[in-house]
């Protein structure tokens, strides 16, 4: 009974902290906004949210991303973001939906961080709460939440501690059944943010190297292979349709950054971290203090703490210009875009170390530190610049943004060269640019009427981007679609009046991959639940 009451109290604390974390959005004195000074991802993700209204049947909708039919959902994972769409429907407001969704995201970040420590590191409640607090209130997460609003990375942040700690437990404690949690955790990261998946693979490889003596156990390798296969099957709904599209159409990826240009200057990183604000990526003052103390007292540290600080310093080095990024420019590392993304790894390991040390302090000092962090958090949010800001605090502004915002990531490459013509909604009819006024744009349908006075069929190039699965009908009859020279949908119109409707659907391969992912997920969850109850029964 005492344990149940303690868990209720802890979860209530996490919920209250989650509401406080986002209190500026709730009271609308610092709402979700896009600042041209900070250049975040708010407009991109608001359009993503708007595009999830029919995602299970129609991967592409036509009333967002400037109404050109951008295929973002094929290339950016959306499943863990979909609850925001459900909340928007329930609350009849996308603004309220995203606010409540972000509160839940913060609560889950607290919750999973806490239980990952409790279950897989065998920590007590005090130490687990401190880690959860340090991880969720970290400066880098604050930058992602309030400055960049990188929804994908925020969602991945929920599951990162679960993956790392279940992996450590699998290696050190020989908890072979952890492959289930590892597979589910990695799948959820991949279905949230593909770049965080790449980063976590690097982290797990480093942890394996640092603990190579445990890898002599063949059972560990078997279970890691099973976890990798399970992850591949559960995430097939995302990666297989994406590969299919890329094989058929050359797709424009998000910009290819010059890694050395986006790496941080060490002095700038230290200065930003000492200020600990949410304007630019930094590791925060607590991490600076923890790293300094660890280096001063390195010889006195426990073996595991030495490994943690070494790994932290290695990833901190990778965030800076001191790392030879020019040697890795043409490798898979260039997909990470910004070397400072590795700050999330530094934050993860320093939060583990910080929780160990802070838990040894007197309760009153821990309480004072928590209050200081909470007050500082509010000050950092309120202190973000308001100049040249687009506020996203009502449904009207979201609707306007979705109609106006242009995002050329994931365009067919050939369409980039013709983007102005496409975005100006120019049809090409008989090799001439024409504007059609009688078109109607709905979420799942782009319709218009055209009169062909010729005796023969004529080709119409529609200003909607072409992807596999795009379909069209004329006068209620399905007609073939092809890709035009400008990367848009091309159809042939018969003589006379043609009522054209364009819509999207999943390919057969995409539908098959969805079924495989669903069945695999159900089987793995059943295996996981069965394993849990068997273990509990034995105890």
């Amino acid at each position: 009974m005492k344990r149940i009451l303690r868990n209720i109290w802890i979860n209530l604390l996490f919920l209250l902290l989650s509401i406080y974390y986002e209190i500026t959005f709730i009271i609308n004195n610092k709402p979700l906004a896009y600042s041209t000074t900070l250049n975040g991802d708010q407009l991109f993700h608001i359009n993503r949210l708007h595009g999830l209204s029919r995602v299970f049947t129609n991967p592409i909708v036509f009333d967002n991303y400037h109404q050109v039919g951008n295929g973002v959902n094929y290339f950016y994972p959306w499943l863990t973001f979909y609850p925001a769409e459900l909340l928007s429907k329930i609350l009849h407001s996308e603004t309220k939906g995203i606010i409540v969704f972000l509160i839940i995201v913060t609560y889950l970040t607290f919750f999973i961080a806490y239980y990952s420590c409790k279950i897989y590191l065998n920590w007590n409640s005090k130490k687990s709460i401190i880690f959860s607090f340090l991880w969720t209130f970290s400066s880098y997460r604050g930058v992602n939440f309030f400055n960049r609003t990188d929804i994908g990375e925020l969602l991945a942040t929920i599951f990162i501690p679960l993956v790392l700690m279940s992996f450590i437990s699998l290696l050190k404690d020989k908890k072979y059944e952890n492959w289930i949690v590892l597979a589910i955790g990695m799948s959820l990261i991949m279905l949230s943010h593909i770049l965080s998946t790449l980063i976590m693979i690097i982290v797990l490889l480093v942890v394996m190297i640092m603990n190579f003596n445990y890898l002599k156990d063949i059972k560990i390798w078997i279970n890691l292979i099973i976890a990798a296969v399970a992850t591949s099957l559960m995430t097939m709904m995302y990666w297989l349709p994406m590969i299919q599209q890329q094989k058929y159409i050359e797709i424009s990826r998000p910009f290819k950054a010059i890694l050395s240009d986006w790496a941080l200057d060490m002095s700038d990183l230290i200065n930003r971290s000492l200020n600990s604000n949410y304007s630019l990526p930094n590791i925060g003052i607590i991490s600076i203090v923890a790293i300094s103390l660890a280096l001063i007292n390195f010889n006195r540290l426990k073996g595991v703490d030495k490994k943690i600080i070494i790994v932290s310093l290695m990833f901190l080095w990778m965030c800076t210009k001191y790392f030879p990024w020019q040697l890795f420019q043409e490798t898979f590392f260039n997909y990470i875009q910004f070397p400072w993304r590795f700050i999330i790894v530094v934050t993860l390991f320093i939060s583990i170390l910080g929780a160990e040390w802070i838990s040894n302090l007197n309760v009153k000092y821990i309480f004072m530190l928590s209050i200081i962090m909470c007050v500082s958090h509010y000050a950092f949010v309120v202190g973000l610049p308001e100049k040249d800001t687009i506020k996203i605090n009502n449904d009207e502004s979201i609707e306007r943004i979705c109609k106006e915002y242009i995002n050329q990531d994931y365009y067919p490459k050939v369409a980039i060269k013709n983007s102005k013509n496409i975005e100006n909604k120019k049809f090409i009819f008989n090799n001439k640019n024409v504007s059609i006024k009688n078109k109607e744009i709905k979420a799942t349908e782009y319709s218009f009427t055209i009169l062909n006075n010729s005796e023969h069929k004529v080709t119409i190039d529609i200003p909607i981007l072409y992807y596999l699965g795009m379909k069209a009908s004329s006068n209620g009859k399905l007609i073939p679609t092809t890709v035009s020279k400008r990367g848009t949908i091309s159809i042939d119109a018969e003589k006379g009046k043609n009522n054209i409707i364009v819509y999207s659907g999943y390919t057969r391969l995409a539908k098959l991959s969805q079924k495989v992912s669903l069945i695999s997920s159900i089987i793995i969850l059943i295996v996981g639940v069965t394993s849990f109850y068997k273990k509990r029964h034995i105890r």
Side-chain angles (χ1 to χ4, degrees), residues 39-56:
N39 292 324
D41 285 344
Q42 293 90 336
L43 305 186
F44 173 73
H45 288 293
I46 284 295
N47 272 268
R48 274 219 305 144
L49 171 63
H50 199 72
L52 296 179
S53 57
R54 303 287 191 279
V55 72
F56 286 103

Side-chain angles (χ1 to χ4, degrees), residues 100-120:
V100 174
F101 175 73
L102 288 173
I103 290 173
I104 293 170
V105 165
T106 300
Y107 168 76
L108 289 174
T109 307
F110 276 117
F111 178 90
I112 291 180
Y114 170 79
Y115 282 102
S116 296
C117 293
K118 284 277 287 181
I119 295 169
Y120 299 108

Side-chain angles (χ1 to χ4, degrees), residues 21 76 80 101-102 104-116 131-146 148-165 185-197 199-200 340-349 351:
Y21 194 87
Y76 202 111
T80 54
F101 175 73
L102 288 173
I104 293 170
V105 165
T106 300
Y107 168 76
L108 289 174
T109 307
F110 276 117
F111 178 90
I112 291 180
Y114 170 79
Y115 282 102
S116 296
F131 171 80
S132 179
F133 192 90
L134 291 174
W135 176 243
T136 309
F137 271 88
S138 63
S139 293
Y140 186 70
R141 186 175 182 275
V143 171
N144 269 340
F145 198 106
F146 295 99
R148 300 183 63 234
T149 316
D150 189 336
I151 299 291
E153 201 163 349
L154 285 170
L155 286 164
T157 302
I158 298 172
F159 311 109
I160 284 172
L162 179 67
V163 167
L164 177 67
M165 290 162 192
M186 280 300 285
S187 295
L188 289 168
I189 291 174
M190 187 180 285
L191 294 171
S192 301
H193 192 237
I194 191 65
L195 300 184
S196 293
T197 310
I199 289 171
M200 279 311 296
W340 45 254
R341 286 189 194 272
F342 287 108
I343 288 175
I344 198 169
V345 185
V346 181
T347 301
L348 177 63
F349 284 102
S351 295

